[in-house]
Amino acid sequence: MMKQGLVAGAAFLALAACGGNDASEASKGEGREVARGSVETGDGEAQYSVREDGDTTTFTVTGPDGQTGKFMSGEGAANFLPDFAPLYPGAKVVGGAGGDSATGKGGMVNFETGDAPEKIVAWYKAEAQKAGLKVAGEMTTPDMRMVTAQDEATGRSLQVHASAKEGGGTSASLIAGSK
């Protein structure tokens, strides 16, 4: 199944990202290929490739049905975000996943910042409303802040979780996409 390939791909990317990335060997753009192959799934053969470009490692898998998924580590993961869900100003991307398809674009980006969770959630709430999304839910716990917003007419949605890090700063995840 494609899901099994994506799960295996995520694990493979995590291992690949642990290796050293020599920026002098990587090119701009697509980077250099460090691995390619195929795996047999219950639905047929899936193809994968791993590319490095500076501090960004990209794992791409194409399932037997032709659907493609990408997983990234590093700053490049922000490329998956749709225009209505920009990366938080000054954020440091630490990883993510996503992709483009004929029906939409979307992904998840994990990032860190020195700002408080409340400030991050308030900023995304304002950005969502500027983009025409309606806030669908908010949650506050002692450890985490969250906001979700959507536009049912266009199929656009976003969700942000932000938690204070021990020692200062915030760790956050942004999930956004469109149909």
Side-chain angles (χ1 to χ4, degrees), residues 39-63:
V39 292
E40 191 61 38
T41 71
D43 297 330
E45 189 174 79
Q47 304 294 316
Y48 69 87
S49 69
V50 179
R51 301 185 87 77
E52 290 182 338
D53 191 354
D55 290 333
T56 299
T57 300
T58 304
F59 178 85
T60 304
V61 61
T62 303

Side-chain angles (χ1 to χ4, degrees), residues 119-143:
K119 185 173 180 180
I120 295 163
V121 168
W123 187 83
Y124 274 106
K125 184 177 175 181
E127 287 296 304
Q129 291 171 333
K130 278 195 302 189
L133 281 72
K134 291 182 180 181
V135 173
E138 294 182 70
M139 185 170 64
T140 300
T141 71
D143 298 324

